[in-house]
Amino acid sequence: MISTIGILGAGQLARMMAQAGQTMGLKFVFLDPAEDACASEYGEHICAAWDDRVALEKLGKSWDLVTFDFENVPDSSASLIESLCPVYPPPRALYKSQDRLREKTMMQELDIPVAPFRAVSSRPDLVAAVEEIGLPCVLKTRRFGYDGKGQMVLRFQEDMERAWQALGDSDLICEGFVPFDVECSIIAARGKAGETVFWPLTRNLHRDGILSISIAPVFDTELQARAEELINGLLDHLDYTGVMTLELFLKDGELLANEFAPRVDNSGHWTIDGAVTSQFENHVRAVCGLPLGKTANIAHALMFNLLGQMPEDKTQDALKLDQMAGVHWHDYRKAPRAGRKIGHVTVTADSERKLEALASQLAGRLGVAAELDLEAVLKTGQNFPAINDIAE
């Protein structure tokens, strides 16, 4: 019987895992080098470097199993802990996700559609890659880039030298630019025996490379089935346990994979308030060997990501977010900082029309995507399912 879980990382994802797990009677410990790690109020915080062997051994010897909330944890650290206690998802998944070339090569081998790509380690490599792939294309660091960091779009020949000057100190990958119609993500949970559940394919909108809005449900059953097929190939190949996210581009009715994350994901935060079982609860259930919960929507849901600082008037009469029906406030208790994810707001409603009205009302007040036409955002060319087709 699992009663204690260690987590490599103590950010907001670990915080929400612990919030879900504590209602199940589980205890948590976190290893994270940040002194102000926001998950620490939910368990013991081992403040140490990712490669601190003494701290890693303490984590591995003291807890029933270990998981992680951050894919840039060194896979060698996860492997060290795996020699002492079970680690889920498997460190192999961490290893594959940490290098875009390994990741894209694996997807290609699994017949998961991806944009054309080529490794780049020199200026001649970059010239050859651009000649082969064509312009526009995207030059990315193979490791550590996230939220739009470590990548540049090349549209003209003269962009190559500028991009090389900015990124050339790292191992790189050049990828074809995808003029997508829609960005989306599929999130799945796989148990120890291979049982798998999927949340509805979610539409995502980014601003400056950072997720701004996620909406579900949106897409039809055919696209849902195709997305499930793609992520299932990764889950089986990696003999995976836990929650996985696959980011996708939709172009002319076809799905192309962008990247996968071996963890719970920002685009699935709406599941806390909009699904029968959240991604966080099902991750905990999966790694503990417990039956997985149902993933159907209980409402139409739209999540606003909150960056930098919380709205100052959150509790004032002008906003009253905490008192508005269908508005669910999540404060990560993180210090304000430009570009930092410090919370999210999920809007839920029993109809598309009500969701649009409430989300439009909040957008301007929150300063989130205020310039977007939410009616257009919610219209993807496909119909929302009727609410009686969503929840049981």
Side-chain angles (χ1 to χ4, degrees), residues 40 43 46 60 88 103 112 118 156 164 168 198 212 241 267 284 362:
S40 59
I46 302 171
Y88 306 108
E103 176 186 46
I112 296 173
R118 179 168 173 161
F156 307 100
W164 181 258
F198 308 91
S212 181
T241 297
S267 66
V284 172
L362 284 174

Side-chain angles (χ1 to χ4, degrees), residues 146-191:
Y146 64 95
D147 287 343
K149 299 179 177 67
Q151 56 186 275
M152 296 182 68
V153 177
L154 282 61
R155 300 185 184 277
F156 307 100
Q157 290 289 332
E158 51 267 32
D159 291 336
M160 284 195 287
E161 183 59 28
R162 178 175 57 86
W164 181 258
Q165 290 293 333
L167 303 176
D169 290 339
S170 305
D171 291 329
L172 303 172
I173 184 172
C174 185
E175 301 178 5
F177 181 84
V178 180
F180 57 82
D181 299 317
V182 172
E183 290 179 283
C184 51
S185 58
I186 182 76
I187 301 179
R190 188 175 189 266

Side-chain angles (χ1 to χ4, degrees), residues 288-310:
C288 290
L290 299 172
L292 300 179
K294 295 180 180 179
T295 55
N297 282 72
I298 57 175
H300 298 289
L302 184 150
M303 183 210 71
F304 290 111
N305 224 7
L306 300 179
L307 305 177
Q309 64 180 15
M310 302 301 264

Side-chain angles (χ1 to χ4, degrees), residues 367-388:
V368 178
E371 77 281 2
L372 289 177
D373 180 348
L374 282 173
E375 181 178 3
V377 166
L378 291 166
K379 299 292 187 183
T380 64
Q382 301 173 75
N383 292 325
F384 281 80
I387 193 65
N388 58 7

Side-chain angles (χ1 to χ4, degrees), residues 40-248:
S40 59
E41 67 180 281
Y42 290 94
E44 179 186 356
H45 175 204
I46 302 171
C47 188
W50 300 121
D51 59 354
D52 185 320
R53 188 177 184 89
V54 173
L56 292 167
E57 289 181 347
K58 177 182 178 182
L59 191 69
K61 291 177 180 178
S62 303
W63 300 84
D64 294 330
L65 63 89
V66 169
T67 187
F68 46 86
D69 82 335
F70 181 58
E71 64 263 42
N72 286 333
V73 171
D75 65 282
S76 57
S77 299
S79 295
L80 171 61
I81 293 178
E82 191 178 34
S83 70
L84 303 171
C85 78
V87 176
Y88 306 108
R92 181 181 176 216
L94 197 63
Y95 174 79
K96 291 290 187 180
S97 72
Q98 288 177 342
D99 185 303
R100 288 188 170 94
L101 182 61
R102 288 196 295 256
E103 176 186 46
K104 289 290 170 61
T105 300
M106 176 184 65
M107 290 181 180
Q108 191 175 64
E109 291 171 349
L110 294 173
D111 293 326
I112 296 173
V114 294
F117 63 91
R118 179 168 173 161
V120 171
S121 57
S122 66
R123 281 187 175 88
D125 282 350
L126 177 56
V127 172
V130 171
E131 288 180 353
E132 178 182 327
I133 294 171
L135 294 171
C137 58
V138 187
L139 188 64
K140 301 178 180 180
T141 57
R142 285 171 50 178
R143 294 175 60 85
F144 302 121
Y146 64 95
D147 287 343
K149 299 179 177 67
Q151 56 186 275
M152 296 182 68
V153 177
L154 282 61
R155 300 185 184 277
F156 307 100
Q157 290 289 332
E158 51 267 32
D159 291 336
M160 284 195 287
E161 183 59 28
R162 178 175 57 86
W164 181 258
Q165 290 293 333
L167 303 176
D169 290 339
S170 305
D171 291 329
L172 303 172
I173 184 172
C174 185
E175 301 178 5
F177 181 84
V178 180
F180 57 82
D181 299 317
V182 172
E183 290 179 283
C184 51
S185 58
I186 182 76
I187 301 179
R190 188 175 189 266
K192 291 181 180 179
E195 69 276 23
T196 307
V197 295
F198 308 91
W199 283 269
L201 184 62
T202 299
R203 182 176 183 186
N204 302 315
L205 293 99
H206 290 77
R207 179 191 288 172
D208 299 327
I210 302 176
L211 183 68
S212 181
I213 294 175
S214 290
I215 315 158
V218 176
F219 301 97
D220 62 26
T221 56
E222 183 177 352
L223 273 178
Q224 176 74 28
R226 177 57 175 156
E228 291 179 9
E229 178 186 9
L230 295 178
I231 196 171
N232 209 43
L234 288 171
L235 295 167
D236 287 344
H237 176 72
L238 294 169
D239 193 19
Y240 199 87
T241 297
V243 164
M244 176 191 286
T245 306
L246 179 60
E247 296 181 5
L248 299 157

